[in-house]
Amino acid sequence: MTTPTESLGTVASAAPIREIDLAIDVTLPGIRRPLGAEHPVIKTSNEMVGIFKAMGYSVAEGPEIETDYYNFESLNFPPNHPARDTQDTLFVAGQESKPQRDRLLLRTHTSPVQTRAMEQQPPPIRIVVPGKVHRHDTPDASHSPVFHQIEGLAVDTNITFCDLKGTLDHAMKAMFGSSVRTRFYPSFFPFTEPSADVQISCFKCGGKGCALCKRSGWIEVLGCGMVDPHVFEFVRHNGYDPAKVSGFAFGMGVERIAILKYGIDDIQLFFNGDVRFLEQFA
Ligand SMILES: [Zn+2]
C-alpha cells in the first residue's frame, strides 16, 4: 500500500503546504510604526513665525546660494570691509571671471531677503524670513556651520525705534511667557543704525540669577536696529526713499531660541538625527 506522497516521487521530501501557513493570524500583535513629528528647530521656527503672522507679517523666503551683492554689498558690507570677516562662509569655486557682486556663496544670514523683498514690493512692507544659513564655524556645543535664522523687516512712514521695541517685547513675551521683560543695549550691524542687542529677563529664575542666565538675570536672544539709510539707497528705485520711509529689522538664531526654550546643552543634538533625542519633542 502506498501513501499519496510517495506516489508523487520527486517531491517526496518537500513539506506539504498546509492551509494554516497562508492565513493571517489576527491575534498576533501588529508592527507599530512610530509617528513622525516636527523637528524641534522647525517647531520653534514655526512658533516664532506664527507670532509675527498674528501681528500682520507675511512670510518671505530666498535662495540659500546667494550672490555677494545680496549677502553683503546691498546690506552695507562694502567689498574688503572688515565686517565681512565676522561672517566667513563657503564660496562656490571657479568664479574668478565674474564681477565680485555676482559671485555665489552660501548665505551667512537671512538678511539678503530684505533687499530681495524690497525690490519686489514697494513700501509698506512687513515680512518675516525663516531659513537656513551657513558660517565657517567649527562645530562645538554652541556653534554649527549650518543653522537657522528668522529675519524680520518692517518699513513704512514714521516707523520709530519705539515700534521696534514694542514689537520685539510682545514677541518675546509670546515666546517665553508674559512675565518676561526685555532690554536693549547698543550694538553694531552694518545694515542697521542705530543697532541693538536684545536681552530678556531670565524666564527660569525670574532675574535672580541662575546657571541658565550665567548669574546675570538676563539672556541675550537677538539683534536688531533701524534700517540704515544706505540700505534703502539700493532699493530707492522701488519707492524706498530714505527721506520718506523708515523701518526696523531684526534677526534671531532659531537653534538659540530652541536651546533656551527646551533647556538643551548642545546644538549638535539638533543635527545628529538621534531619534532618542528627537522623540522627546513628538
Ligand atoms: Zn536665570
Side-chain angles (χ1 to χ4, degrees):
M1 190 176 162
T2 57
T3 63
T5 310
E6 282 169 338
S7 69
L8 292 172
T10 53
V11 295
S13 59
I17 295 171
R18 293 178 305 149
E19 211 169 295
I20 190 73
D21 289 338
L22 299 173
I24 294 167
D25 184 352
V26 295
T27 64
L28 287 171
I31 300 165
R32 185 186 291 267
R33 286 190 182 278
L35 281 179
E38 268 183 328
H39 189 279
V41 169
I42 300 302
K43 188 175 177 164
T44 306
S45 180
N46 286 344
E47 198 176 333
M48 190 59 87
V49 166
I51 291 167
F52 285 96
K53 277 167 87 173
M55 287 192 271
Y57 285 68
S58 49
V59 178
E61 286 181 309
E64 285 175 34
I65 302 173
E66 191 52 279
T67 62
D68 185 283
Y69 175 76
Y70 285 110
N71 196 78
F72 289 125
E73 194 180 333
S74 71
L75 293 166
N76 207 24
F77 293 79
N80 305 317
H81 193 278
R84 290 183 173 215
D85 293 350
T86 61
Q87 299 196 9
D88 193 13
T89 183
L90 293 167
F91 291 79
V92 175
Q95 302 186 92
E96 291 75 12
S97 60
K98 287 186 185 173
Q100 182 167 356
R101 54 163 37 202
D102 296 336
R103 291 182 195 170
L104 298 172
L105 47 86
L106 298 186
R107 68 176 179 190
T108 58
H109 47 181
T110 40
S111 309
V113 186
Q114 287 189 29
T115 312
R116 289 182 172 277
M118 287 191 283
E119 281 178 348
Q120 285 172 8
Q121 184 187 327
I125 190 169
R126 282 172 181 74
I127 53 165
V128 275
V129 184
K132 201 182 290 171
V133 302
H134 307 259
R135 298 277 173 96
H136 185 220
D137 281 336
T138 306
D140 63 23
S142 54
H143 293 87
S144 168
V146 182
F147 58 101
H148 297 75
Q149 282 187 338
I150 295 175
E151 185 88 8
L153 174 71
V155 182
D156 205 338
T157 49
N158 299 320
I159 292 217
T160 69
F161 203 91
C162 294
D163 299 310
L164 170 60
K165 287 184 80 172
T167 302
L168 292 180
D169 187 71
H170 170 78
M172 292 304 107
K173 284 179 163 64
M175 193 72 186
F176 293 105
S178 58
S179 61
V180 159
R181 288 167 292 135
T182 50
R183 73 178 185 186
F184 293 66
Y185 62 98
S187 183
F188 171 77
F189 304 104
F191 42 103
T192 48
E193 177 62 34
S195 304
D197 282 329
V198 181
Q199 294 183 336
I200 57 171
S201 60
C202 182
F203 50 86
K204 194 173 179 187
C205 66
K208 291 190 192 77
C210 68
L212 182 68
C213 58
K214 300 194 181 88
R215 311 281 157 207
S216 72
W218 294 90
I219 302 169
E220 191 179 319
V221 281
L222 62 99
C224 65
M226 301 305 290
V227 178
D228 193 304
H230 287 154
V231 172
F232 286 138
E233 290 295 347
F234 288 97
V235 287
R236 181 193 267 269
H237 58 277
N238 203 21
Y240 291 89
D241 180 346
K244 293 179 180 159
V245 296
S246 57
F248 61 75
F250 56 86
M252 63 190 95
V254 180
E255 283 81 1
R256 167 116 184 107
I257 303 283
I259 279 170
L260 291 169
K261 199 168 166 68
Y262 297 112
I264 296 160
D265 55 10
D266 186 347
I267 194 172
Q268 300 304 325
L269 289 166
F270 290 127
F271 308 114
N272 288 345
D274 188 332
V275 175
R276 292 168 302 178
F277 170 72
L278 297 172
E279 66 188 3
Q280 298 175 77
F281 304 93

Coordinates of all heavy atoms in Angstrom, one line a residue, residues 232-279:
F232 N 18.5 101.5 2.2 CA 17.4 102.0 1.3 C 17.9 102.5 0.0 O 17.2 102.4 -1.0 CB 16.6 103.1 2.1 CG 15.7 102.6 3.2 CD1 15.7 103.2 4.4 CD2 15.0 101.4 3.0 CE1 14.8 102.8 5.4 CE2 14.1 101.0 4.0 CZ 14.1 101.7 5.2
E233 N 19.1 103.0 -0.1 CA 19.6 103.6 -1.3 C 19.7 102.5 -2.4 O 19.5 102.8 -3.6 CB 21.0 104.2 -1.1 CG 21.1 105.4 -0.3 CD 20.4 106.6 -1.0 OE1 20.1 106.6 -2.2 OE2 20.1 107.6 -0.3
F234 N 19.9 101.2 -2.0 CA 20.0 100.1 -3.0 C 18.6 99.8 -3.6 O 18.5 99.1 -4.6 CB 20.6 98.9 -2.4 CG 22.1 99.0 -2.1 CD1 22.5 99.4 -0.9 CD2 23.0 98.8 -3.2 CE1 23.9 99.5 -0.6 CE2 24.3 98.9 -2.9 CZ 24.8 99.3 -1.7
V235 N 17.5 100.2 -2.9 CA 16.2 99.9 -3.4 C 15.3 101.2 -3.6 O 14.1 101.1 -3.6 CB 15.4 98.9 -2.5 CG1 16.0 97.5 -2.6 CG2 15.5 99.3 -1.0
R236 N 16.0 102.3 -3.6 CA 15.3 103.6 -3.7 C 14.4 103.6 -5.0 O 13.3 104.2 -4.9 CB 16.4 104.7 -3.9 CG 15.8 106.1 -4.0 CD 16.9 107.1 -4.4 NE 17.6 107.7 -3.3 CZ 17.2 108.9 -2.8 NH1 16.1 109.5 -3.2 NH2 17.8 109.4 -1.7
H237 N 14.8 102.9 -6.1 CA 14.0 102.9 -7.3 C 12.7 102.3 -7.1 O 11.8 102.5 -7.9 CB 14.8 102.2 -8.4 CG 15.1 100.7 -8.0 ND1 16.2 100.4 -7.2 CD2 14.5 99.6 -8.3 CE1 16.2 99.1 -7.1 NE2 15.2 98.6 -7.7
N238 N 12.5 101.5 -6.0 CA 11.2 100.9 -5.8 C 10.4 101.6 -4.7 O 9.5 101.1 -4.1 CB 11.3 99.4 -5.5 CG 10.1 98.6 -5.8 OD1 9.2 99.0 -6.6 ND2 9.9 97.5 -5.1
G239 N 10.7 102.9 -4.5 CA 9.9 103.7 -3.5 C 10.5 103.8 -2.1 O 9.8 104.4 -1.2
Y240 N 11.7 103.3 -1.9 CA 12.3 103.3 -0.6 C 13.2 104.6 -0.5 O 14.5 104.4 -0.4 CB 13.1 102.0 -0.3 CG 12.1 100.9 -0.1 CD1 11.7 100.1 -1.2 CD2 11.6 100.5 1.1 CE1 10.9 99.0 -1.1 CE2 10.7 99.5 1.3 CZ 10.4 98.7 0.2 OH 9.5 97.7 0.3
D241 N 12.6 105.7 -0.5 CA 13.4 107.0 -0.4 C 13.7 107.2 1.1 O 12.8 107.3 1.9 CB 12.6 108.1 -0.9 CG 13.3 109.5 -0.8 OD1 14.3 109.5 0.0 OD2 12.8 110.4 -1.4
P242 N 15.0 107.1 1.5 CA 15.3 107.2 3.0 C 14.8 108.5 3.6 O 14.7 108.5 4.9 CB 16.8 107.1 3.0 CG 17.3 107.2 1.6 CD 16.2 107.0 0.7
A243 N 14.4 109.5 2.8 CA 13.9 110.7 3.4 C 12.4 110.6 3.7 O 11.8 111.4 4.5 CB 14.1 111.9 2.5
K244 N 11.8 109.6 3.1 CA 10.3 109.4 3.3 C 9.9 108.2 4.1 O 8.9 108.2 4.7 CB 9.7 109.3 1.9 CG 9.8 110.6 1.1 CD 9.1 110.5 -0.3 CE 9.3 111.8 -1.0 NZ 9.1 111.6 -2.5
V245 N 10.7 107.1 4.0 CA 10.3 105.9 4.7 C 11.4 105.6 5.8 O 12.5 106.0 5.7 CB 10.2 104.7 3.8 CG1 9.0 104.9 2.8 CG2 11.5 104.4 3.1
S246 N 10.9 104.8 6.8 CA 11.9 104.3 7.8 C 11.4 102.9 8.2 O 10.3 102.5 7.8 CB 11.9 105.3 9.1 OG 10.5 105.4 9.6
G247 N 12.3 102.2 8.9 CA 11.9 100.9 9.2 C 12.8 100.2 10.2 O 13.9 100.8 10.5
F248 N 12.5 99.1 10.6 CA 13.4 98.3 11.5 C 13.5 96.9 11.0 O 12.7 96.4 10.2 CB 12.9 98.3 13.0 CG 11.5 97.7 13.2 CD1 11.3 96.3 13.2 CD2 10.4 98.5 13.5 CE1 10.1 95.7 13.4 CE2 9.2 97.9 13.7 CZ 9.0 96.6 13.7
A249 N 14.6 96.3 11.4 CA 14.9 94.9 11.1 C 15.4 94.2 12.3 O 16.0 94.8 13.2 CB 16.0 94.8 10.0
F250 N 15.2 92.9 12.3 CA 15.8 92.1 13.5 C 16.1 90.7 12.9 O 15.6 90.3 11.9 CB 14.7 92.0 14.6 CG 13.4 91.5 14.2 CD1 13.2 90.1 14.2 CD2 12.4 92.3 13.8 CE1 11.9 89.6 13.8 CE2 11.1 91.9 13.5 CZ 10.9 90.5 13.5
G251 N 16.9 90.0 13.7 CA 17.3 88.6 13.3 C 17.6 87.8 14.5 O 18.2 88.3 15.5
M252 N 17.2 86.6 14.5 CA 17.5 85.7 15.7 C 17.8 84.3 15.2 O 17.4 83.9 14.1 CB 16.3 85.7 16.6 CG 15.0 85.1 16.0 SD 13.6 85.3 17.1 CE 12.9 86.8 16.4
G253 N 18.6 83.6 16.0 CA 19.0 82.3 15.7 C 17.9 81.3 16.2 O 17.6 81.4 17.4
V254 N 17.4 80.5 15.4 CA 16.3 79.6 15.8 C 16.8 78.5 16.8 O 16.2 78.3 17.8 CB 15.7 78.9 14.6 CG1 14.5 78.0 15.1 CG2 15.1 79.9 13.6
E255 N 18.0 78.0 16.6 CA 18.6 77.0 17.5 C 18.8 77.6 18.9 O 18.5 76.9 19.9 CB 19.9 76.4 17.0 CG 19.8 75.4 15.9 CD 19.5 76.1 14.5 OE1 19.5 77.3 14.4 OE2 19.4 75.3 13.5
R256 N 19.2 78.8 18.9 CA 19.4 79.5 20.2 C 18.1 79.6 21.0 O 18.1 79.4 22.2 CB 20.0 80.9 19.9 CG 20.0 81.9 21.0 CD 21.4 82.3 21.4 NE 21.4 83.1 22.6 CZ 21.8 82.7 23.8 NH1 22.2 81.5 24.0 NH2 21.8 83.5 24.9
I257 N 17.1 80.0 20.3 CA 15.8 80.1 20.9 C 15.3 78.7 21.4 O 14.8 78.6 22.6 CB 14.7 80.7 20.0 CG1 15.1 82.0 19.4 CG2 13.3 80.7 20.6 CD1 15.0 83.2 20.3
A258 N 15.5 77.7 20.6 CA 15.1 76.3 21.0 C 15.9 75.8 22.1 O 15.4 75.1 23.1 CB 15.2 75.4 19.8
I259 N 17.2 76.1 22.1 CA 18.1 75.7 23.2 C 17.6 76.3 24.6 O 17.6 75.6 25.6 CB 19.6 76.2 22.9 CG1 20.2 75.2 22.0 CG2 20.4 76.3 24.2 CD1 21.6 75.6 21.4
L260 N 17.3 77.6 24.5 CA 16.8 78.2 25.7 C 15.4 77.6 26.2 O 15.2 77.3 27.3 CB 16.6 79.7 25.5 CG 17.9 80.5 25.3 CD1 17.6 81.9 24.8 CD2 18.7 80.6 26.6
K261 N 14.5 77.5 25.2 CA 13.2 77.1 25.5 C 13.1 75.7 26.0 O 12.3 75.4 26.9 CB 12.3 77.2 24.2 CG 10.8 77.3 24.5 CD 10.1 77.7 23.2 CE 8.6 77.5 23.3 NZ 7.9 78.3 24.3
Y262 N 13.9 74.8 25.5 CA 13.8 73.4 25.9 C 15.0 73.0 26.8 O 15.1 71.8 27.1 CB 13.8 72.5 24.6 CG 12.6 72.7 23.8 CD1 12.7 73.3 22.5 CD2 11.3 72.4 24.2 CE1 11.6 73.5 21.7 CE2 10.2 72.6 23.4 CZ 10.4 73.2 22.2 OH 9.2 73.4 21.4
G263 N 15.9 73.9 27.2 CA 16.9 73.5 28.1 C 17.9 72.5 27.5 O 18.3 71.5 28.2
I264 N 18.3 72.7 26.3 CA 19.3 71.8 25.6 C 20.7 72.4 25.7 O 20.9 73.6 25.6 CB 18.9 71.7 24.1 CG1 17.5 71.0 24.0 CG2 19.9 70.9 23.3 CD1 16.8 71.3 22.7
D265 N 21.7 71.5 26.0 CA 23.0 72.0 26.3 C 24.0 71.8 25.1 O 25.2 72.2 25.2 CB 23.6 71.4 27.6 CG 23.6 69.9 27.5 OD1 23.3 69.3 26.4 OD2 23.8 69.2 28.6
D266 N 23.5 71.3 24.0 CA 24.5 71.1 22.9 C 23.8 71.2 21.5 O 22.8 70.5 21.2 CB 25.1 69.6 23.0 CG 26.2 69.4 22.0 OD1 26.3 70.2 21.0 OD2 26.9 68.4 22.1
I267 N 24.2 72.2 20.8 CA 23.5 72.5 19.5 C 23.6 71.3 18.5 O 22.8 71.1 17.6 CB 24.1 73.8 18.8 CG1 23.2 74.3 17.7 CG2 25.5 73.6 18.3 CD1 23.5 75.7 17.2
Q268 N 24.7 70.5 18.7 CA 24.9 69.3 17.8 C 23.7 68.3 17.8 O 23.5 67.6 16.9 CB 26.2 68.6 18.1 CG 27.4 69.5 17.9 CD 27.5 70.2 16.6 OE1 27.2 69.6 15.6 NE2 28.0 71.4 16.5
L269 N 23.0 68.3 19.0 CA 21.9 67.3 19.1 C 20.8 67.6 18.1 O 20.2 66.6 17.6 CB 21.3 67.5 20.5 CG 22.2 66.9 21.7 CD1 21.7 67.4 23.0 CD2 22.3 65.4 21.6
F270 N 20.7 68.8 17.6 CA 19.7 69.1 16.6 C 20.0 68.4 15.3 O 19.1 68.2 14.5 CB 19.6 70.6 16.4 CG 19.0 71.4 17.5 CD1 19.6 72.4 18.1 CD2 17.7 71.0 18.0 CE1 19.1 73.2 19.1 CE2 17.2 71.7 19.1 CZ 17.9 72.8 19.6
F271 N 21.3 68.2 15.0 CA 21.7 67.8 13.6 C 22.2 66.3 13.6 O 22.4 65.8 12.5 CB 22.8 68.7 13.1 CG 22.4 70.1 13.2 CD1 23.1 71.0 14.0 CD2 21.3 70.6 12.5 CE1 22.7 72.3 14.1 CE2 21.0 72.0 12.5 CZ 21.6 72.8 13.4
N272 N 22.3 65.6 14.8 CA 22.8 64.3 14.8 C 21.8 63.2 14.3 O 22.2 62.1 14.0 CB 23.3 63.9 16.2 CG 24.6 64.6 16.5 OD1 25.2 65.2 15.7 ND2 24.9 64.6 17.8
G273 N 20.5 63.6 14.3 CA 19.5 62.6 13.9 C 19.3 61.5 14.8 O 18.8 60.4 14.4
D274 N 19.6 61.7 16.1 CA 19.4 60.6 17.1 C 17.9 60.7 17.5 O 17.4 61.6 18.1 CB 20.3 60.9 18.3 CG 20.2 59.7 19.3 OD1 19.2 59.0 19.4 OD2 21.2 59.6 20.1
V275 N 17.2 59.6 17.2 CA 15.8 59.5 17.4 C 15.4 59.6 18.9 O 14.4 60.2 19.3 CB 15.2 58.2 16.8 CG1 13.7 58.1 17.2 CG2 15.4 58.2 15.3
R276 N 16.3 59.1 19.8 CA 16.1 59.2 21.3 C 16.0 60.7 21.7 O 15.2 61.0 22.6 CB 17.2 58.5 22.0 CG 17.2 57.0 21.9 CD 18.5 56.5 22.4 NE 19.7 57.1 21.8 CZ 21.0 56.8 22.1 NH1 21.2 55.9 23.1 NH2 22.0 57.3 21.5
F277 N 16.7 61.6 21.0 CA 16.6 63.0 21.3 C 15.4 63.6 20.7 O 14.6 64.3 21.4 CB 17.9 63.7 20.8 CG 17.8 65.2 20.8 CD1 17.9 65.9 22.0 CD2 17.6 65.9 19.6 CE1 17.8 67.3 22.1 CE2 17.5 67.3 19.7 CZ 17.6 68.0 20.9
L278 N 15.2 63.3 19.4 CA 14.1 63.9 18.7 C 12.7 63.5 19.2 O 11.8 64.3 19.2 CB 14.2 63.6 17.2 CG 15.5 64.2 16.5 CD1 15.6 63.6 15.1 CD2 15.5 65.7 16.6
E279 N 12.6 62.2 19.7 CA 11.2 61.8 20.1 C 10.7 62.4 21.3 O 9.5 62.4 21.6 CB 11.2 60.2 20.2 CG 12.0 59.6 21.3 CD 12.0 58.1 21.2 OE1 11.5 57.5 20.3 OE2 12.7 57.5 22.1

